[in-house]
Amino acid sequence: MNKKNLWLSGPYLVWIVGFILLPLVTIFYYGFTTAQGGFTFANIINAVTDSANLKAIGLTVLLAALATAICLLLGYPLALCLSRIGLKWQKAVIFLFILPMWMNFMLQMVAINVILEDNGIINTILTALGLEKVHIANTFGAILIGMVYDYFPFMLLPLYNTVSRLDGDLINASKDLGAGPLRTFFKITFPLSLPGLVSGATMVFIPAISDFAIAEMLGGGKIMLVGNIVEMSFTKGQYYQGSGLAILLMAFVIISSLITGEDGENEGGAMLP
Amino acid sequence: MKKTGFVRKNGKRLAALVCALLLVLAGCASLTGCSSAEKLYLFNYGDYIDPQVYDLFEAETGIRVVYDEYAAPEDMYAKFTSGSVTYDLICTSDYMLEKLIGEDRLAPINKDAIATLSNISRRQWDATAAFDPELQYTVPHFWGTLGILYNTKTVTAEEVTSWDVLFDGSHAGNIVMPNSERDAFFVALTKLGYDANTTDPTQLQAASDLLKKQKADVQAYLLDEAARVKVEAENADLAVIYNGEAYLAMENNEDLAFAVPEDGTCIWLDSFAIPVDAPNPAYAEKFLEFLCREEIAAMNFEYIYYSTPNQAVIDGLDEEIAANAAIFPADSIHDKASVLRYLGAEAEALYSQLWKNVKS
């Protein structure tokens, strides 16, 4: 870019300072100080030693990992199928999966609750069929369903982008050289789709690990994730403890992006079909 | 082409202009930046005054009410104390008012200037004295009681005469508890026979243990509307809820009823107060005078259906509504009720920690 036009980035610089740097500095300030103003590690230590926090950390990582795994198990076969049908159909199916994202998030969660509720749609159908009711509403399972529903498109799109661009010649070559379908899959298709897989997994795992809204709306307030404790600390004015936990969450996010970072980068920009 | 030339030549000046504009915008974002003479800045719970009241007030006095809304008193406190915005009038709950009074953030109200205050019932002032002992800082807006909303098809009136029904396992999986630490602890403390405003760590720990044990039987921790809808849709049998919400639920589902357990309840009072740094306290007093008029208080009452402290409104009501125990709890309940007090920062932190343990 022309050096003279650098000032055009001014508005964004204001944005970056006001809405990215300042909040970060504030979080770190509160995270490493006591209410009296002295430097301390106590907030960070408390974040990983308090029994309620520990339980929340365990639940959060477990939920995020399960949601990622389920999205992957649902998304990968779908992406493979998609890559084998006509382009028009591919676009139509992808469109259908993106469609719910245009709906208001609250509405999605309320709808899921209505479906899962004790007298909800699933249980009404089960009762009509003379079967036992299932209790899913306000449980760990309900949150998991909500996460999978909400984050699935973020898994599908990168996977689809990678898989649909696989070089068909490579697969044909593998078959010509006598490899069976299984061997072709494990030696050619799977390794080549790894970048999309990693990118998809990152894009599900990272928002899932810092989520609090899904847990709040589908967990009935009975399950506390790290995000919920952060939210609770800040609304109760306990900025120091809340910031300690928020820093811990950031560390989780940074670590998981470092692990997956290099492969993930390629596909992140190619999200939309 | 011409345009690019212009930009190139006047680039620096343009940049300065853009920056200046941004600064002005930032200034205006905070209310104080653009305050004008004829505006009253009000900070209130969401949907707590009939919007028509603002129009009527403006038509009569020429003062425009600019209002901000918040959901929880803690949010209000955070924004109010940040100093980025100054308000002429705030409305919040008892314990939060006590905290604000204690921190010298409220100005005494010139009550002689507000003739319509005589409409507020004696009983309300008595209750107000729990957090505003000299009655100098606050004017009541609405009040209510905590009780149990229940489905008469599955729960008997006999059962809900005591909070025990929530802890004896008889309605396991069908109980909705309030998602608010003070209200949830209130129920447990009352059941254990302790004072609602105790700060004794052993008593609070006992209440916390009780709530933790109860959690397996609780279907969800929800507040207000969410709790009401749960019982209305018959996805839960019982909910600990405030009376105004219960009244709405009973309107929507005739199988529901509301009871205040005889072992005690807590009442809340939401009142108005004028901050010490209010730019226009005189406007605030004018608005309070307006709000306490019988016809205006009646409008607000019919908008919210919480218990009104305005005796003139109560006297003018249909007997049927006035006799509705969900809106106007009996005197015997009022006399036994506690008002939740501000317990100090240390006790607040203990409460939060124990509540976190219950919920995790």
Side-chain angles (χ1 to χ4, degrees), chain A residues 8-19:
Chain A
L8 282 171
S9 63
Y12 184 66
L13 278 179
V14 172
W15 181 273
I16 233 181
V17 171
F19 297 111

Side-chain angles (χ1 to χ4, degrees), chain B residues 54-291:
Chain B
Y54 302 125
D55 298 336
L56 290 173
F57 182 65
E58 189 173 355
E60 186 182 308
T61 60
I63 300 169
R64 177 114 176 255
V65 180
V66 181
Y67 59 96
D68 258 355
E69 297 183 338
Y70 63 87
E74 285 71 23
D75 304 341
M76 187 283 306
Y77 184 80
K79 188 164 175 193
F80 178 69
T81 53
S82 73
S84 57
V85 191
T86 45
Y87 295 100
D88 297 308
L89 190 62
I90 59 168
C91 174
T92 190
S93 301
D94 33 57
Y95 71 98
M96 187 53 74
L97 287 162
E98 186 172 9
K99 182 170 171 172
L100 293 174
I101 292 170
E103 292 172 0
D104 295 325
R105 293 182 193 273
L106 300 180
I109 295 173
N110 178 9
K111 292 199 167 164
D112 298 331
I114 309 174
T116 52
L117 281 186
S118 59
N119 284 338
I120 306 291
S121 72
R122 190 68 247 157
R123 168 188 293 288
Q124 272 325 295
W125 290 121
D126 291 346
T128 300
F131 56 91
D132 178 9
E134 312 281 319
L135 304 178
Q136 351 174 30
Y137 297 103
T138 59
V139 170
H141 183 39
F142 279 109
W143 66 282
T145 44
L146 198 64
I148 301 175
L149 173 70
Y150 62 101
N151 191 322
T152 52
K153 289 191 286 190
T154 45
V155 183
T156 64
E158 178 68 25
E159 285 178 274
V160 289
T161 53
S162 161
W163 295 108
D164 288 348
V165 67
L166 303 169
F167 298 95
D168 60 12
S170 57
H171 293 277
N174 280 306
I175 296 169
V176 175
M177 283 292 282
N179 193 13
S180 136
E181 54 198 49
R182 283 305 291 276
D183 293 341
F185 270 87
F186 168 80
V187 173
L189 288 169
T190 310
K191 144 99 180 141
L192 292 169
Y194 299 141
D195 185 77
N197 291 308
T198 184
T199 52
D200 177 352
T202 351
Q203 294 186 349
L204 287 174
Q205 185 62 51
S208 164
D209 292 344
L210 183 65
L211 289 171
K212 184 95 194 169
K213 210 175 119 221
Q214 182 210 21
K215 191 181 171 191
D217 292 350
V218 174
Q219 190 185 107
Y221 295 91
L222 301 170
L223 266 186
D224 304 339
E225 192 189 357
R228 162 168 70 83
V229 171
K230 202 79 167 171
V231 183
E232 248 176 55
E234 307 194 352
N235 284 310
D237 295 342
L238 299 149
V240 176
I241 205 169
Y242 282 103
N243 56 339
E245 287 296 334
Y247 175 78
L248 281 176
M250 286 148 66
E251 293 276 288
N252 296 336
N253 182 340
E254 56 185 19
D255 289 324
L256 305 185
F258 179 73
V260 175
E262 285 158 16
D263 26 10
T265 183
C266 62
I267 61 175
W268 53 262
L269 287 103
D270 289 344
S271 304
F272 288 101
I274 301 176
V276 270
D277 55 356
N280 291 305
Y283 292 175
E285 280 168 6
K286 262 190 195 168
F287 191 57
L288 287 176
E289 189 273 336
F290 192 73
L291 284 175

